[in-house]
Amino acid sequence: MEIRFVTAGGGDVVAVMATDGGELLAAGKALDTASSGRIVKAMKAANFKGGAGQVADILAPDGVDFARVLVIGVGKSDAADGMAVERWAGHAVKRVLTSGAEKLVLQPDALPSVSKAEAGSHAAMGARLAAYRFDTYRTKLKPEQKPSLTAVEISMDGPAAAKARAEKDAAVVEGVFFARDLVSEPPNVLYPESFAERLRDLETIGCDVEILEPAAMERLGMGALLGVAQGSSRPARLVAVKWNGGSKGSKPVALVGKGVTFDTGGISLKPGAGMDEMKGDMGGAAAVAGAMKAIALRKAKANVVGVVALVENMPGANAQRPGDIVNTMSGQTIEVLNTDAEGRLILADAVWYAQDKYDPSVLIDLATLTGAVIVALGHENAGMFANDEDLAHAITAAGQAEGEPVWRLPLSAAYDKLIDTPNADMKNIAGKPVAGSIVGAQFIKRFVKDGTPWAHLDIAGTAWKSGPYEDPLSPAWATGYGVRLLNRLIQNRYED
Ligand code: BES
Ligand code: MN
Ligand code: ZN
């Protein structure tokens, strides 16, 4: 689907904005005038109130060049931000994507806190994100199930500034799509080696990619990561993707991702119902991969390294047992009391490796770590933990701006005691159903060196959505959560 910026668009369908109370903005008013008041008449007949995402779908109004007019609400005009414009465009695209229409014209208006140029670029972003589909394995789609839309025109006066912004944003969209594709791929196709190969492709856009195999990890002492992997016939991989767009010698930002390409739970086997969702247990690694792609494509002036730990967590004759004690690269030992708390085990070694090898200025890990974070926050916010106030605030702001919100949860020594054990330096579960997400974060913290600003994002509830969550910018399953947040954070805080 092509995006074009034009001053006067023509096509099958046009979408305009309305605000709370059912007030048309300038573009809609012009259509209403052209149709001698039929647009407003139709809006009234449809009981349209302009709430965010509400749509008045008007067919064949007289006097306008479009066969279909979509009036879509953005909610209260003072509260409407760039994300509201994205969702507005997303609703329009989703409604007509497979409708038979080939060309959609979006007529965004400025809002009190969104300039015309911003409205135009956000409209493009929303249109692109909403058009994402994962149809790789659908061989029998009927013509009417396939996207008919081939072009979206963003129609506005003086589109140059919006167009320039949208061209930069296209890199971010590519990153989000990369993450969504990775999360969507089935686990027989995407496993540690094949994931690593997809990261290898980032070399073509200027990244350095280094892939560690089990022998190298063994030499480094990564017993926790290898312990998780040992039950699978698929060998583990640890991949570092580097982008050196910043000044020479300045310390990199390190992004670390949990990449469990399938999590059965191991010997502590998960129940069968819904286990297929655990193909998405590499959502943290996917977010890191997508962020690296975005920052490389837009040639960010920053040094960033993405480290992903890739394993498959399987039961089997060689699988690790509850009670096993493993060594980590840091030298600390872990008693594995539940093989389903595997994310923290692989992160223990990946987080240590990222610090040991790259001496980063800041470390951020992303992981679909705990079901408990879904209990706490649902699918609306990721859980954030941080040992640094400024970093926590910057992440919160980046997530807010990009529609990927986080909610901070506490860390403290009092929770840390829950993972003490007489048998080793620590155990991998608390052993009672309390503060599950915090315990996971406290565990990872034991592998963060003193003085390293660090944040952990538990994205178990946001990497994918199951159930009735209608998001105009996302498909039903993989969201690509984290790519936009990380890209924004790097842009705001770490670029020269
Ligand atoms: N991958 C899961 C967490 C998860 C659950 C992600 C649901 C997405 C949706 C993780 O490896 C896991 O199994 N965590 C356990 C930890 C427990 C054993 C301490 C959990 O959340 O039950
Ligand atoms: Mn698990
Ligand atoms: Zn897991």
Side-chain angles (χ1 to χ4, degrees), residues 258 260 262-263 270 278 281 313 340-343 368-369:
K258 169 181 173 181
V260 177
F262 196 73
D263 181 12
K270 286 183 181 297
M278 287 300 132
D281 205 21
N313 188 23
D340 197 12
E342 85 296 341
T368 49
L369 203 74

Side-chain angles (χ1 to χ4, degrees), residues 336-486:
V336 179
L337 289 181
N338 188 320
T339 65
D340 197 12
E342 85 296 341
R344 62 200 70 181
L345 295 172
I346 68 171
L347 286 173
D349 281 328
V351 156
W352 191 266
Y353 178 78
Q355 295 167 95
D356 195 64
K357 172 114 193 205
Y358 299 106
D359 187 26
S361 62
V362 58
L363 175 77
I364 301 165
D365 79 81
L366 292 93
T368 49
L369 203 74
T370 65
V373 85
I374 309 175
V375 176
L377 301 173
H379 300 282
E380 314 308 328
N381 284 272
M384 175 185 59
F385 300 84
N387 66 1
D388 182 281
E389 298 308 300
D390 290 346
L391 178 61
H393 290 138
I395 289 174
T396 303
Q400 187 63 38
E402 297 289 327
E404 295 183 341
V406 302
W407 192 261
R408 193 174 182 185
L409 296 168
L411 291 162
S412 86
Y415 295 105
D416 190 58
K417 290 207 264 314
L418 290 167
I419 51 173
D420 287 338
T421 168
N423 301 322
D425 296 337
M426 71 197 84
K427 54 182 177 172
N428 75 331
I429 54 166
K432 46 185 172 179
V434 297
S437 303
I438 303 174
V439 167
Q442 290 290 160
F443 183 96
I444 296 168
K445 187 172 184 290
R446 292 202 185 188
F447 298 87
V448 176
K449 295 184 181 178
D450 279 344
T452 304
W454 158 74
H456 158 63
L457 302 183
D458 192 336
I459 62 169
T462 51
W464 69 82
K465 296 186 182 189
S466 50
Y469 292 93
E470 237 340 290
D471 182 340
L473 301 178
S474 179
W477 169 254
T479 59
Y481 182 98
V483 174
R484 296 184 64 172
L485 183 158
L486 293 172

